[in-house]
Amino acid sequence: MHVTVRLFAVLRERAGAPQVDLDLPDGASVAEALDALAPLAGDVPVVLAVNREYAVADTVLRAGDELALIPPVSGGDVARHWRVTGEPLSLDVLVALVADGRAGAIVTFAGTTRDVDFLDYEAYTEMATAELERIVTEVASRHRVCAVAAEHRVGRVARGEASVLVAASSPHRPEAFAAARELIDEIKARAPIWKRESGEWVEGTQPPEK
């Protein structure tokens, strides 16, 4: 079967094109596609998307699918990633985003629903996304890190599922811990995202004025 592979940044430059065509056996998985692309992308940490939805290695591909290999979003020498989404969050995806050959430590934090069957999250999505970008950029500039990433979910989040994830990688653990702590603290203080529990909106903090 035929699959189109979208490429970005360093991968696009290596291939000399924004996409390549891949022929795979019927029922092949994303992992098999990555194996076929190893000469091109084997040394680059990537997050995977199939038809513009994040995917994992065992996702089954179909003829005509578009597979995207997404390197970390970079700002200077530090890779950065941020997202507000209604999709389930994946800690494996976030770890892959901050993986770096220079990093001796990766620290993550996951905020999950507990004690109740679900929580409902609402966001001023455009502003929350912009605020996550600012927070990630500020944290990256203040700490000696290789990469930082943050994602927040909106909509209904069931018990045990993650509503917010942050990750930071660094050559040494103190910087990774400090960056991850600052990421989650700043997101909780500044991002215009609201939580409803058992039908009641949970009181939060007043975002700081600029």
Side-chain angles (χ1 to χ4, degrees), residues 82-85 122-134 152 154 190-194:
W82 60 91
R83 185 169 70 125
V84 177
T85 178
E122 180 179 325
Y124 181 178
T125 302
E126 297 85 355
M127 184 176 176
T129 301
E131 195 63 35
L132 255 64
E133 179 182 5
R134 282 190 284 270
H152 206 298
V154 292
R190 292 165 50 183
I193 299 172
W194 302 273

Side-chain angles (χ1 to χ4, degrees), residues 58-75:
D58 60 0
T59 299
V60 175
L61 295 167
R62 295 171 295 179
D65 277 351
E66 179 185 271
L67 171 64
L69 307 187
I70 306 172
V73 178
S74 63

Side-chain angles (χ1 to χ4, degrees), residues 2 37 46 54 58 62 85 120 138 142 172 178 190-191:
H2 176 81
L37 293 164
V46 295
Y54 283 106
D58 60 0
R62 295 171 295 179
T85 178
D120 291 312
E138 291 167 9
R142 280 197 285 264
H172 305 288
R190 292 165 50 183

Side-chain angles (χ1 to χ4, degrees), residues 39-208:
L40 173 67
D43 62 335
V44 178
V46 295
V47 170
L48 312 166
V50 176
N51 300 328
R52 302 181 184 180
E53 299 285 345
Y54 283 106
V56 293
D58 60 0
T59 299
V60 175
L61 295 167
R62 295 171 295 179
D65 277 351
E66 179 185 271
L67 171 64
L69 307 187
I70 306 172
V73 178
S74 63
D77 294 329
V78 178
R80 300 171 296 134
H81 169 83
W82 60 91
R83 185 169 70 125
V84 177
T85 178
E87 303 168 6
L89 305 182
S90 168
L91 194 57
D92 289 342
V93 166
L94 221 64
V95 169
L97 279 165
V98 301
D100 190 291
R102 300 168 295 169
I106 295 177
V107 171
T108 64
F109 170 84
T112 58
T113 300
R114 61 181 173 86
D115 295 336
V116 295
D117 290 334
F118 60 85
L119 296 171
D120 291 312
Y121 286 87
E122 180 179 325
Y124 181 178
T125 302
E126 297 85 355
M127 184 176 176
T129 301
E131 195 63 35
L132 255 64
E133 179 182 5
R134 282 190 284 270
I135 291 167
V136 165
T137 300
E138 291 167 9
V139 169
S141 70
R142 280 197 285 264
H143 299 275
R144 186 168 175 260
V145 292
C146 303
V148 289
E151 295 191 342
H152 206 298
R153 190 169 168 188
V154 292
R156 181 153 294 183
V157 183
R159 186 200 303 263
E161 294 184 353
S163 57
V164 58
L165 299 176
V166 302
S169 64
S170 176
H172 305 288
R173 65 181 180 274
E175 293 90 346
F177 273 110
R181 177 63 180 265
E182 185 173 344
L183 281 171
I184 188 60
D185 286 351
E186 290 298 305
I187 290 169
K188 297 295 287 185
R190 292 165 50 183
I193 299 172
W194 302 273
K195 176 174 69 176
R196 185 167 61 184
E197 179 179 337
S198 301
E200 299 291 333
W201 293 105
V202 177
E203 184 176 356
T205 57
Q206 184 71 23

